[in-house]
Amino acid sequence: MDRVLGIVGGSGLYDLEEMTNKEWRAIKTPFGDPSDQLLVGEIHGQSVVFLPRHSRGHLIAPSQINYRANVYALKSLGVTDVLSVSAVGSLQEEHAPGTFVLVDQFIDRTFAREKSFFGDGLVAHVPMADPICKDLKDRVAQHCRDLEIKHAVDGTYLAMEGPQFSTRAESKLYRSWGCDVIGMTNMPEAKLAREAEICYLTLAMVTDYDCWRSSDADVSIPEILATMKQNAQNACQLVVKTAQALNSKAENCSAGCNQALEYALITAPDARDPDLVKNLEPLIGRFS
């Protein structure tokens, strides 16, 4: 099986001009429509699928994103690796605006979202102790060094519900927990990618210092937008570099991402809901 790189574009990244042989495709899923059509094409011969998380034009708020449909659509198009490009606020002094943080942990504080493909009729419990793909993270970290992009390797992402930004008290609380960045979109996206056995990495692009620094003004939207524009340019360079270096043939992931369901399906085969099993064919087909 060939590897296919999926790019989920967050705030500020709505298209990839570097792609060739590209075509926008409408994908239907059992969980409804994805955020937008998916852009299928190539970057230097590597198959790439791009999905604007908020849709082109940024029409969908974080809580209204159909995360299950997004991940399902990527999986159905053969995506094996996902680079999730996301705008975040910084909770630590060293992560200045413009820094890219290669997240390795999450704290999920969202509460209004569907978080699993599984449920009544087919129960599954995937491991999430290490929620991102170390292999993909190590490769992207090297690309950041090659491109001289300011970055930090490892960090904890606090996923909040939104769409409002944090209160100052909340921001200070999350900072006291040791969180590095705060955002609104990577949960349950990371959990669903694990259920879909996709190698997943968050590229957290810092736009501001959130509001924990009492000496600063509150979060400034114009400043965020200016930083987002520069971040998007750097992210595009990084996407091209990642696509160029990705091995064309799928290989076993040392982190086990592509085998996450191996022992996760709890419901006995003869007791599984046949309709749910059919709907989940792109995810669990290898078990049938």
Side-chain angles (χ1 to χ4, degrees), residues 103-125:
V103 169
D104 71 327
Q105 286 293 327
F106 296 93
I107 294 178
D108 187 359
R109 296 282 288 176
T110 65
F111 53 82
R113 309 172 187 192
E114 294 287 349
K115 300 190 178 187
S116 177
F117 292 111
F118 301 94
D120 292 343
L122 180 50
V123 176
H125 301 287

Side-chain angles (χ1 to χ4, degrees), residues 6 29 156 223:
T29 86
T156 298
E223 290 179 5

Side-chain angles (χ1 to χ4, degrees), residues 145-219:
R145 291 189 288 271
D146 293 342
L147 293 168
E148 298 184 344
I149 294 174
K150 184 178 180 181
H151 68 285
V153 177
D154 297 339
T156 298
Y157 178 121
L158 189 291
M160 63 182 295
E161 186 62 49
Q164 302 84 0
F165 292 119
S166 304
T167 67
R168 207 177 306 277
E170 289 170 332
S171 188
K172 290 180 178 180
L173 174 64
Y174 302 147
R175 175 173 156 80
S176 76
W177 289 353
C179 298
D180 291 272
V181 295
I182 183 167
M184 301 179 187
T185 58
N186 278 204
M187 281 292 171
E189 190 176 86
K191 292 177 177 177
L192 293 164
R194 179 58 52 86
E195 288 188 343
E197 298 189 323
I198 292 173
C199 293
Y200 180 92
L201 176 65
T202 290
L203 179 64
M205 307 183 302
V206 177
T207 60
D208 62 273
Y209 272 116
D210 205 52
C211 62
W212 56 270
R213 295 206 308 186
S214 58
S215 60
D216 289 353
D218 294 341
V219 175

Side-chain angles (χ1 to χ4, degrees), residues 38-53:
L38 286 81
L39 184 61
V40 178
E42 297 178 351
I43 294 179
H44 296 284
Q46 170 62 53
S47 295
V48 175
V49 178
F50 174 76
L51 173 64
R53 184 189 287 115

Side-chain angles (χ1 to χ4, degrees), residues 7-30:
I7 306 297
V8 181
S11 299
L13 187 61
Y14 307 109
D15 197 352
L16 284 178
E17 295 181 358
E18 294 79 3
M19 289 177 66
T20 59
N21 301 320
K22 56 187 180 181
E23 173 191 2
W24 287 99
R25 294 187 189 174
I27 304 297
K28 298 293 183 181
T29 86

